[in-house]
Amino acid sequence: MVENHRSGSGYDKKQGFYPHVVMPPCQAACPLHMEISEYVDLIAQGKVMEALQVIREGNPFPSICAYVCTHPCEDACRRAQVDKPIAIRALKRFAVEFGGDRMIQLEAETKHKDRVAIVGSGPAGLACAYYLRKLGYPVTIFEAHSEPGGMLRIGIPQYRLPREVVDTEVQRLINMGVELKTDTRVLSLDLLFDMGYRAIFLTVGAHQGLRMGIEGEDSPGVIDGATFLREVNLGLKPFPGETVAVVGGGNVAMDAARTAVRLGARKVMVLYRRTRAEMPASATEVEQALEEGVEFMFLVAPVKVKRENGLLRVTCIRMELGEPDAGGRRRPIPVKGSEFDIEVSTLITAIGQAPQLSQDFRLRIGRGSTIQVDPVTLTTNRAGVFAGGDAVTGPATVTEALASGRKAAFRIDEYLQHRYPGVDREVTSSLGELSPTTIEMIRRSERLEPPCLPPEERIKEFKVIESIYDWESAVKEARRCLRCGMGAEILFQDKCATCLTCLRVCPYRVPCLDSNGSVRIPVDQCQACGICVAQCPARALVLRKPRDGRQINEELEHVIRVASESRSRPLIVGFCCQYGLLGTGALADVWRGTRAGISIVPVLCVAKIEEGHMLQAFQMGAEGVFIAGCGKECSRENTAFWVWQRIEKVRKALSQIGLEPQRLDMFTPDSSGGSMAEALDKFAERIGALYLNSVLRQEVKA
Amino acid sequence: MIVAEQKPIGEIRQLIAPYSKVLLLGCGTCMTVCGAGGEREVSFLRDALRVAEARSGDMRHDFLEYTVKRQCDFEFLDVVAEKIPEVDAILSLGCGVGVQAVAERFPYIPVLPGVNTSFIGLAKEWGVWDERCAACGDCRLAETAGICPITRCTKGILNGPCAGTKNGKCEANKDMDCAWVLIYKRLEALHQLDKMYRYYPPRNFRVIPRPRRIVRKVDVKVGEGNG
């Protein structure tokens, strides 16, 4: 039996996704599992405030992540299989800046009596405070340094994260009612319990630089990376001398090297015992360090330091790569007799960091001096003491710290409310690789990077080096998203007549027949263009994110209602691409040249406009209907072909009804020959004449 | 598959003129596949009729929409029964068989055809359908290399080609392939050209005593050895 109505599969607020949508890999890779595809799509529509709203729902401090996130989402992005991944972090920064994040005020009311102490005001501590405050707990943060922010302030250089951003977020927390005690080092957890705190979240970070264990390591002029960065970030501007060597291949090593460049060092060398391929630092960081003149010496490790005549003589040895170790990276092996000396003024060691914990905490310590916790509940060996962030994981990313702080907040809530601890669902993406056919059919589109200061400008000071996208670039970049996991599905298998229309119309050749002769639309290949959904003669198909299509009906009704109230005649309805025309504001130029009296229905790609939509516009009183697509900007080359098929079908019906077919037309910025404004103007003129004609005819009849 | 075309809106409007409540009944099988009367077409027709009524200021029709899996089997029509008291007429977008099945199933309500049933054929590509079978009841495809001269030759001749073939095309339509040239080429490829040299006597039109009926059921009398 075939039903004519369809059950809505709407957005599940509690679950945080559309039940039929398959988790895209970007969202699965994000430690916070943010709804990336959702906000990227909103940016593609130019809806930047809505995008920010989605971002804020999944991230307590989006402005911080917008600067420093190491974007594991981009590493997982499936667009990389076609050309390059979406610039997700830069897009988030665009949304944060243009969406008015600075203006957002947060409030929280106290609902519980149990006070919670947070030791450490790094990203994990701040995130925990944010969520606990939202849950209604009185929260106090204890910070040993004079300024809050932890590594955000004393670890990350200013050119990567401006201090105002941290200040704004901290101020927002204070406005929410979080108590902040700086210059307060916590020496005993018992004391905190005595003070009346019912739970403690320990997030003291990993600030202690690891030692290399070589001769002369304690000579003056040898400094560890964490200490060096802390001194610079707290306002000291030490001159490291003419020549600086940095030991290590991680992000701290990059930060230290680039900071040394900015402090005036003429020659900065990075000594790394493996090769560039094995470097744990993010590729962009390495790239930018190279641009700023940092030299890299690979397969080199220091073995001895000796201070001579105010300089450091560092004896190094060359390495070669041997068998892979437990972590999968090839182990460096010293090459006998390959020792050589370099002379430097400062040697910065950045080979790793560990937490520094007071014995009095009486906590069980694990590998690398980190706090041992239960991975599910984040509880330590002491009741009421939870731990997270770098202090538990060892040096990790800001986003991982935020995720750990958020998790801690929920676990502490459960602890205080005597609830059984919730277990986080494991988040993975079941989407497979794109097939070669799909990749071949996807239109290539270059990744746009936000503009960056030239290296010679950057190294002069600690100014932020990356600028923000302009509106058009952001929309264009966001439009590259492949909409993973939200493609078409056969919702009503019993309706499907196996007519093969979907197989024949798909621009990516995604639908296929299985060995039983049933149609399958593999979700890992579908690009969610919606063409098959609009063509399916049985209407058995839906997009997994149904809002995209349903919106047209709602908008159309709304537009017609508003227009009928205004009584301006003749009424012309235009279905316009929300991505290319409204999103980029390109339509604004069109309007300036076109007369008023046109009502616009924004559509998420004209491919989703069905014949029924066009007819409904006429039925609701439109004298003329047009469709405006984004033309060459479209993700597909043949979108217009399918829209024209539908237009011609409706035109045929119109002429059978006795209406002029030219009342329905389509325009794109590149098809109309002249300007789109001119073409639309002519269309409006034509409709005006037809309208006048029909009015006259009716009067004659009467 | 049966291929059909939706009737022009004007004609449908005339058909339904005497009635006010009309059930637009789609068919989920052939008519869906050939894009003439599936759920999408039912809704398209309703929208088009509504536009027509709105433009003429004559809004006296109420439309109900429904699409059954297949109109040509009575069992599928049972669910329509409850809607019958609500309507004055049924406009069936089924093929000719569907229309008649609906009429037979519901004897007391007018049933109108919404499509022109055209032929038995296939989809050449998206949006293009070609006739392939005339349902003559006397299949000769074994002799003609799987290409039917009855349907695909304009003249339907059994001993072609005729003198009207030119460059592989038919004299009746220069865009249309000559069926007999196609047959020749395919027989050549199959090394069966000898079949071209045989004479095929005229078809026996008497095998089509209309209406035809196929009875596969065997009459078995109860009590004669079968319990």
Side-chain angles (χ1 to χ4, degrees):
Chain A
M1 188 54 246
V2 185
E3 285 286 339
N4 271 326
H5 65 274
R6 48 192 50 183
S7 58
S9 53
Y11 183 79
D12 189 332
K13 192 84 189 164
K14 208 170 155 197
Q15 300 260 0
F17 55 88
Y18 294 92
H20 289 248
V21 170
V22 178
M23 168 85 63
C26 50
Q27 189 173 355
C30 174
L32 289 164
H33 306 306
M34 296 183 65
E35 288 182 59
I36 294 162
S37 56
E38 187 77 18
Y39 72 72
V40 167
D41 193 55
L42 285 166
I43 295 172
Q45 299 172 37
K47 293 182 176 168
V48 68
M49 281 161 93
E50 288 89 332
L52 178 65
Q53 212 175 338
V54 172
I55 293 171
R56 282 210 76 95
E57 265 167 33
N59 188 327
F61 309 119
S63 59
I64 292 172
C65 284
Y67 280 99
V68 297
C69 186
T70 52
H71 47 74
C73 49
E74 292 184 27
D75 301 334
C77 178
R78 298 203 311 160
R79 177 104 210 176
Q81 296 168 35
V82 182
D83 34 46
K84 279 188 173 156
I86 314 293
I88 299 170
R89 187 194 50 76
L91 285 172
K92 179 164 39 225
R93 170 120 192 261
F94 170 79
V96 164
E97 302 282 351
F98 281 79
D101 188 63
R102 251 168 260 238
M103 314 295 285
I104 287 173
Q105 295 289 329
L106 296 173
E107 281 169 16
E109 84 187 85
T110 306
K111 294 175 199 152
H112 304 285
K113 282 195 183 130
D114 302 318
R115 292 160 67 206
V116 182
I118 294 173
V119 183
S121 67
L126 295 177
C128 185
Y130 173 89
Y131 285 103
L132 280 174
R133 201 54 213 137
K134 279 184 98 177
L135 288 165
Y137 290 95
V139 177
T140 311
I141 302 179
F142 296 90
E143 169 56 53
H145 291 102
S146 55
E147 309 255 5
M151 278 298 183
L152 296 174
R153 191 177 297 272
I154 60 177
I156 299 173
Q158 295 216 29
Y159 62 86
R160 285 214 287 139
L161 178 66
R163 294 303 168 249
E164 308 83 76
V165 175
V166 183
D167 292 339
T168 314
E169 294 295 359
V170 170
Q171 192 53 47
R172 255 202 283 251
L173 281 183
I174 292 171
N175 293 349
M176 280 169 85
V178 172
E179 196 185 351
L180 177 68
K181 290 187 191 294
T182 49
D183 287 318
T184 312
R185 187 174 286 278
V186 173
L187 296 171
S188 152
L189 300 180
D190 301 312
L191 202 63
L192 286 181
F193 282 122
D194 288 345
M195 284 163 74
Y197 292 102
R198 292 285 319 282
I200 298 169
F201 181 48
L202 209 54
T203 161
V204 295
H207 293 268
Q208 182 69 41
L210 294 182
R211 292 174 60 84
M212 296 189 290
I214 60 168
E215 194 189 321
E217 195 175 347
D218 295 316
S219 319
V222 182
I223 186 170
D224 75 274
T227 310
F228 172 69
L229 289 170
R230 180 161 61 234
E231 284 180 359
V232 176
N233 283 321
L234 285 175
L236 296 174
K237 283 215 166 172
F239 176 58
E242 295 286 326
T243 322
V244 175
V246 180
V247 184
N251 282 324
V252 174
M254 295 306 109
D255 285 346
R258 296 174 68 188
T259 299
V261 169
R262 283 164 174 76
L263 290 172
R266 277 186 198 282
K267 185 176 165 75
V268 176
M269 291 171 281
V270 170
L271 313 180
Y272 182 51
R273 56 188 185 143
R274 290 183 168 101
T275 67
R276 186 168 176 182
E278 285 85 20
M279 276 178 83
S282 93
T284 334
E285 288 285 307
V286 180
E287 200 59 50
Q288 289 178 344
L290 277 168
E291 286 170 7
E292 289 164 14
V294 174
E295 292 168 32
F296 285 80
M297 294 173 78
F298 293 111
L299 294 166
V300 164
V303 286
K304 199 168 84 182
V305 184
K306 198 171 175 206
R307 195 163 173 87
E308 284 175 355
N309 318 325
L311 286 175
L312 292 169
R313 175 172 294 281
V314 183
T315 309
C316 302
I317 191 163
R318 296 208 184 274
M319 311 292 250
E320 58 185 11
L321 293 178
E323 292 299 307
D325 60 12
R329 288 191 302 171
R330 292 175 68 187
R331 195 193 305 271
I333 302 167
V335 179
K336 262 194 190 144
S338 66
E339 287 88 349
F340 63 97
D341 286 356
I342 52 170
E343 263 193 3
V344 296
S345 4
T346 303
L347 180 69
I348 303 173
T349 62
I351 56 162
Q353 283 150 243
Q356 204 178 9
L357 289 156
S358 161
Q359 288 286 321
D360 298 339
F361 286 178
R362 299 200 310 279
L363 289 173
R364 193 173 294 145
I365 303 299
R367 204 170 158 261
S369 313
T370 55
I371 307 172
Q372 268 193 348
V373 296
D374 180 292
V376 175
T377 58
L378 296 183
T379 46
T380 61
N381 57 317
R382 294 188 60 177
V385 179
F386 297 74
D390 285 359
V392 167
T393 56
T397 65
V398 170
T399 320
E400 281 168 296
L402 294 178
S404 134
R406 177 169 76 180
K407 186 170 168 184
F410 295 139
R411 297 298 96 87
I412 290 172
D413 174 47
E414 284 152 2
Y415 168 75
L416 293 174
Q417 300 307 314
H418 305 287
R419 284 200 311 268
Y420 197 78
V423 178
D424 291 329
R425 263 179 313 150
E426 203 181 320
V427 180
T428 49
S429 174
S430 55
L431 290 177
E433 303 260 296
L434 291 167
S435 79
T437 346
T438 317
I439 292 175
E440 191 196 320
M441 304 310 287
I442 292 172
R443 218 178 198 183
R444 301 294 182 272
S445 164
E446 214 177 306
R447 173 176 158 129
L448 296 169
E449 302 284 356
C452 224
L453 285 181
E456 57 277 15
E457 286 294 315
R458 287 187 219 158
I459 59 171
K460 284 188 202 151
E461 47 186 350
F462 281 83
K463 233 166 61 184
V464 172
I465 63 171
E466 188 193 80
S467 317
I468 316 158
Y469 279 125
D470 62 83
W471 201 273
E472 211 175 321
S473 316
V475 168
K476 208 166 171 191
E477 177 60 24
R479 289 190 72 186
R480 297 176 62 237
C481 178
L482 298 180
R483 312 164 67 77
C484 298
M486 48 180 102
E489 66 171 332
I490 306 174
L491 190 58
F492 308 97
Q493 196 72 53
D494 56 340
K495 271 192 190 180
C496 174
T498 327
C499 67
L500 309 186
T501 300
C502 49
L503 269 81
R504 292 174 182 147
V505 304
C506 177
Y508 306 98
R509 302 191 206 144
V510 169
C512 53
L513 283 176
D514 67 12
S515 54
N516 296 321
S518 301
V519 176
R520 295 275 171 266
I521 305 179
V523 65
D524 35 13
Q525 306 301 328
C526 181
Q527 304 294 305
C529 68
I531 291 175
C532 60
V533 175
Q535 294 293 143
C536 175
R539 295 214 289 192
L541 299 177
V542 291
L543 284 172
R544 281 165 206 267
K545 216 176 101 189
R547 207 184 52 197
D548 290 6
R550 206 185 291 155
Q551 182 185 304
I552 304 180
N553 288 324
E554 287 165 14
E555 293 276 356
L556 179 60
E557 258 171 59
H558 171 75
V559 153
I560 297 276
R561 203 170 40 234
V562 170
S564 63
E565 277 162 17
S566 82
R567 293 184 187 285
S568 71
R569 290 289 178 271
L571 174 59
I572 295 176
V573 172
F575 295 93
C576 297
C577 172
Q578 171 80 57
Y579 291 120
L581 298 173
L582 299 159
T584 53
L587 212 56
D589 292 334
V590 176
W591 288 153
R592 250 167 256 141
T594 316
R595 62 180 76 182
I598 295 180
S599 301
I600 294 297
V601 177
V603 292
L604 298 174
C605 183
V606 291
K608 299 192 179 81
I609 306 167
E610 304 182 15
E611 299 99 353
H613 296 127
M614 308 176 201
L615 284 170
Q616 272 155 34
F618 281 109
Q619 188 197 323
M620 287 166 159
E623 294 290 333
V625 174
F626 71 90
I627 290 162
C630 61
K632 286 189 190 126
E633 296 288 307
C634 191
S635 311
R636 283 157 290 282
E637 276 158 39
N638 53 356
T639 305
F641 171 84
W642 292 107
V643 180
W644 273 115
Q645 295 296 324
R646 298 169 206 160
I647 288 179
E648 288 303 338
K649 186 171 161 191
V650 174
R651 279 183 169 176
K652 194 174 154 197
L654 288 180
S655 61
Q656 288 170 358
I657 288 164
L659 282 171
E660 300 78 359
Q662 64 266 38
R663 286 174 185 263
L664 178 61
D665 215 336
M666 171 144 105
F667 306 99
T668 54
D670 31 68
S671 77
S672 28
S675 80
M676 199 161 156
E678 233 170 80
L680 270 179
D681 221 9
K682 273 188 196 147
F683 179 75
E685 232 168 72
R686 204 157 64 220
I687 299 303
L690 289 172
Y691 175 63
L692 201 67
N693 216 333
S694 66
V695 169
L696 285 174
R697 248 184 307 176
Q698 272 191 349
E699 273 177 16
V700 170
K701 240 194 225 171
Chain B
M1 178 202 48
I2 298 170
V3 181
E5 229 181 340
Q6 210 168 85
K7 281 180 178 287
I9 311 284
E11 187 183 340
I12 291 179
R13 288 189 73 198
Q14 279 174 5
L15 290 176
I16 62 169
Y19 313 102
S20 60
K21 281 194 172 175
V22 180
L23 171 64
L24 307 177
L25 188 63
C27 177
T29 310
C30 304
M31 293 304 105
T32 298
V33 177
C34 73
E39 192 178 315
R40 177 168 302 282
E41 297 313 312
V42 168
S43 139
F44 178 81
L45 180 61
R46 190 227 27 213
D47 287 335
L49 287 171
R50 285 260 170 84
V51 175
E53 303 218 319
R55 300 300 300 194
S56 62
D58 174 24
M59 295 283 282
R60 50 195 190 86
H61 281 100
D62 275 341
F63 298 110
L64 255 71
E65 288 173 68
Y66 210 79
T67 301
V68 294
K69 189 121 190 158
R70 197 158 78 222
Q71 290 189 9
C72 56
D73 273 305
F74 298 128
E75 288 86 342
F76 286 118
L77 298 172
D78 283 349
V79 279
V80 184
E82 62 190 60
K83 302 192 185 307
I84 298 301
E86 299 172 39
V87 296
D88 309 324
I90 299 174
L91 182 84
S92 161
L93 296 187
C95 65
V97 188
V99 176
Q100 294 183 64
V102 175
E104 207 168 325
R105 174 68 181 76
F106 304 113
Y108 302 110
I109 189 153
V111 178
L112 314 160
V115 304
N116 290 323
T117 309
S118 309
F119 51 78
I120 303 173
L122 55 75
K124 190 85 178 138
E125 58 183 277
W126 180 86
V128 180
W129 285 272
D130 277 351
E131 182 173 15
R132 282 292 183 270
C133 176
C136 68
D138 183 18
C139 194
R140 299 286 180 88
L141 284 169
E143 292 147 12
T144 56
I147 295 164
C148 175
I150 316 285
T151 36
R152 298 183 68 179
C153 165
T154 314
K155 295 173 181 166
I157 52 175
L158 285 178
N159 293 285
C162 70
T165 181
K166 199 173 179 188
N167 300 326
K169 301 288 175 188
C170 175
E171 65 179 340
N173 181 348
K174 287 195 172 53
D175 295 326
M176 197 167 70
D177 289 325
C178 168
W180 275 103
V181 171
L182 294 178
I183 292 168
Y184 184 95
K185 283 185 179 158
R186 191 164 148 77
L187 283 174
E188 190 177 31
L190 296 171
H191 304 292
Q192 294 181 359
L193 270 181
D194 54 312
K195 287 186 176 167
M196 281 301 288
Y197 302 115
R198 291 202 334 237
Y199 166 74
Y200 295 100
R203 283 191 303 147
N204 177 5
F205 285 93
R206 251 183 291 173
V207 296
I208 316 181
R210 285 208 157 94
R212 288 171 281 180
R213 168 176 278 180
I214 294 171
V215 181
R216 204 161 290 133
K217 187 174 73 175
V218 183
D219 274 342
V220 177
K221 287 207 176 84
V222 178
E224 285 184 1
N226 63 347

